[in-house]
Amino acid sequence: MLQRSVDETEYHDLEERVEDVQLLLAHQDPQERIENLQAKFDSIYSIKDDGKWLQVRNQDGKWIYRSKRMIAENPELPDLARIPAQGLITEFHQGSRYVRTLTYPIKADGRLYSVQTGLALNKSMALLSTFRTSLLLLTPVMIVLAALGGHWMSRKALQPVAVLAAEARKITDRNLDKRLPVLTARDEISHLSETLNQMLGRIDKAFASVRAFTGNASHELRTPIALLRTEIEVALIRPRTSDEYRETLLRLHEETVRMTNLVENLLSIARADAGAETHSRVPIDLRTLLEQIRDTWQPPMERAFVEFRVEIGPGDLTLLGDPAGISRLLSILLENAIKYTPPGGSVILSASQSATVVCLSVRDTGIGISAEDLPRIFDRFYRGAKPDTTVTHGSGLGLALGKWIAQRHGTQLIVESEPGRGSCFSFSLVRAAVGPEVPILSGSGG
């Protein structure tokens, strides 16, 4: 860049000298004799350009002026026809000097002249040489300084990352409540710390949920297994009658059924948490589905001395959902209703529709839910304290699973309850627009 700048400056300097000669010739009389013109140029340039390089020749090939150094060097001055319009740059040595010349054609008062002017490049060459030497010496130094500065800056910039990494290595599954330090500077590192802390919070919550789930599951499984073992050991102590063995087997069967339901609920929730539970939404003939549920639950309701009714509104009740999931959700609600409704009470399964949705509800006249228990009834393994009832069956997983099924269908379970006056669980599903080409599934018990 410096070389190009110096070359341009020198070229402009040479152009200005040519323009001076052209201006001087333009003020001369075209009819003036060549000797007078030579005398004028000599009087002007013999002092002004002494020690410089200048020679001027007219179109007739006669010299108007030649400086002493031009005469001494005698460089070639091409004819006007051979000089390009933009000028001609040439260079030569004269002693210790390195000279650059510009040969240019000019026109003044209708006459053509060829002008050749030059200047020494020694100062420019010395400047460029000094600059080049300095640059070669300074470049390695600047590279070393830049490398050291970059290393220092990178170490300083990455020091917070190293601190975060050291603190992160201290966090294990035993101290997930520990958090990474957040810098006061609002930069990318502080945002990273906050993001990692949020992630640790989610992991801590997940670990706590897994621990609680595992502990509750093991507790729920330990109790029926202990009962089975006790019943079997008692039955083996001495020989018994067939009626006593039958009674023992009935108790064992009751516990195995309870264990089976518990394991199925645990597996369903585990698949739900892992996202492996299958789910399909198809048009369902709700009337047929509710009739199947009524046939399934009518016998256990009669054995519990609880009145059971299914109320279905008028019209074509067709909704969009998973048949097995809807059937299971209603079974969970009916199981809770029969469990907490004393003999002589009633349970009503009803379905009604509006323009866009179908509302399903299970209402009972049971013991109800207290205001303290109501916010937690959908928590896993939660069973509220009910001193006024002897109901002890259940794992506390049914409503949690029912809540998940409702969420998978894009709805939520709504609870209305008052202690001593029963409860009502309801949810709404989108109606299905069924055409003649779309099959309607009646659903099946799940």
Side-chain angles (χ1 to χ4, degrees):
M1 292 174 63
L2 181 60
Q3 176 75 58
R4 185 165 55 251
S5 178
V6 169
D7 289 344
E8 290 176 356
T9 301
E10 291 172 345
Y11 181 78
H12 291 318
D13 191 9
L14 293 172
E15 277 189 326
E16 288 179 357
R17 295 188 184 189
V18 173
E19 290 174 359
D20 289 342
V21 174
Q22 185 178 17
L23 185 61
L24 179 58
L25 291 172
H27 287 81
Q28 304 302 318
D29 186 359
Q31 304 300 327
E32 190 171 7
R33 295 176 60 185
I34 189 66
E35 292 82 2
N36 295 335
L37 189 57
Q38 291 173 347
K40 288 182 179 181
F41 264 82
D42 188 62
S43 63
I44 294 174
Y45 285 102
S46 61
I47 299 174
K48 180 179 180 181
D49 277 355
D50 185 33
K52 295 186 179 180
W53 294 266
L54 177 63
Q55 56 183 2
V56 182
R57 189 170 61 189
N58 63 13
Q59 61 187 12
D60 300 327
K62 295 181 179 180
W63 292 105
I64 305 299
Y65 178 78
R66 297 189 79 190
S67 65
K68 295 177 180 179
R69 291 188 177 180
M70 280 295 191
I71 294 173
E73 183 62 31
N74 194 26
E76 178 189 3
L77 180 58
D79 296 334
L80 286 169
R82 295 167 53 195
I83 303 175
Q86 70 273 15
L88 179 65
I89 296 290
T90 58
E91 296 176 352
F92 61 86
H93 288 277
Q94 190 179 54
S96 60
R97 297 182 180 86
Y98 192 78
V99 182
R100 175 175 296 167
T101 63
L102 171 62
T103 304
Y104 214 87
I106 62 175
K107 186 175 182 181
D109 290 333
R111 293 181 62 84
L112 298 176
Y113 301 87
S114 57
V115 179
Q116 188 177 55
T117 182
L119 52 80
L121 302 179
N122 295 63
K123 292 183 180 180
S124 300
M125 293 175 66
L127 172 64
L128 290 171
S129 178
T130 302
F131 181 76
R132 186 177 294 109
T133 302
S134 301
L135 191 63
L136 291 175
L137 293 176
L138 289 175
T139 298
V141 176
M142 294 303 298
I143 291 176
V144 172
L145 292 177
L148 294 176
H151 177 71
W152 176 79
M153 292 180 65
S154 63
R155 289 292 299 273
K156 185 176 181 180
L158 295 176
Q159 184 178 4
V161 179
V163 173
L164 292 179
E167 292 295 325
R169 282 191 290 269
K170 298 178 183 178
I171 299 177
T172 64
D173 58 340
R174 299 180 180 275
N175 60 344
L176 285 173
D177 57 337
K178 185 179 179 63
R179 295 296 178 263
L180 300 176
V182 179
L183 302 179
T184 56
R186 306 305 298 174
D187 55 6
E188 289 78 4
I189 303 299
S190 62
H191 294 325
L192 176 62
S193 301
E194 293 174 351
T195 304
L196 292 177
N197 284 337
Q198 293 172 2
M199 181 185 68
L200 287 172
R202 294 192 295 270
I203 294 175
D204 186 18
K205 185 177 180 180
F207 263 73
S209 176
V210 169
R211 291 192 187 100
F213 183 83
T214 304
N216 290 327
S218 61
H219 174 75
E220 293 293 334
L221 289 172
R222 184 172 61 248
T223 300
I225 291 175
L227 289 175
L228 290 176
R229 180 178 178 181
T230 301
E231 290 286 347
I232 294 173
E233 289 176 349
V234 170
L236 294 176
I237 291 176
R238 60 179 177 82
R240 299 177 182 273
T241 65
S242 59
D243 291 338
E244 291 175 332
Y245 280 124
R246 180 178 178 81
E247 183 179 354
T248 301
L249 290 175
L250 287 175
R251 288 195 298 269
L252 293 177
H253 179 265
E254 183 180 351
E255 287 300 325
T256 54
V257 169
R258 180 170 177 268
M259 286 183 61
T260 301
N261 293 333
L262 175 60
V263 171
E264 288 179 352
N265 287 337
L266 287 173
L267 291 176
S268 297
I269 290 181
R271 286 195 297 266
D273 291 340
E277 188 77 11
T278 58
H279 177 77
S280 60
R281 302 184 68 177
V282 295
I284 304 172
D285 184 0
L286 186 59
R287 190 177 300 274
T288 303
L289 178 63
L290 294 184
E291 290 175 356
Q292 293 175 353
I293 293 176
R294 180 186 57 193
D295 295 341
T296 301
W297 282 93
Q298 189 68 46
M301 292 286 183
E302 292 176 354
R303 288 194 296 269
F305 302 100
V306 173
E307 180 187 3
F308 179 49
R309 298 199 309 273
V310 177
E311 298 179 353
I312 306 175
D316 182 18
L317 292 175
T318 304
L319 55 83
L320 196 63
D322 177 31
I326 299 301
S327 178
R328 189 168 192 179
L329 174 55
L330 292 175
S331 296
I332 290 172
L333 298 180
L334 290 173
E335 182 181 2
N336 271 0
I338 191 176
K339 188 184 303 180
Y340 297 109
T341 300
S346 64
V347 176
I348 301 175
L349 170 60
S350 62
S352 60
Q353 65 177 339
S354 64
T356 58
V357 298
V358 175
C359 181
L360 295 169
S361 64
V362 175
R363 184 182 299 274
D364 62 64
T365 59
I367 62 176
I369 305 171
S370 65
E372 295 78 10
D373 294 332
L374 199 59
R376 299 189 58 191
I377 59 174
F378 294 108
D379 294 347
R380 297 176 183 180
F381 298 103
Y382 179 77
R383 286 173 292 188
K386 300 176 178 62
D388 56 342
T389 181
T390 59
V391 176
T392 58
H393 297 293
S395 61
L397 292 176
L399 288 180
L401 184 59
K403 178 182 178 182
W404 176 83
I405 295 174
Q407 290 175 344
R408 286 293 298 270
H409 283 79
T411 185
Q412 60 179 349
L413 284 174
I414 300 175
V415 186
E416 299 175 3
S417 182
E418 185 177 345
R421 306 188 65 175
S423 304
C424 178
F425 290 80
S426 62
F427 60 95
S428 300
L429 295 174
V430 178
R431 292 187 60 187
V434 181
E437 72 283 356
V438 181
I440 302 177
L441 301 183
S442 60
S444 60

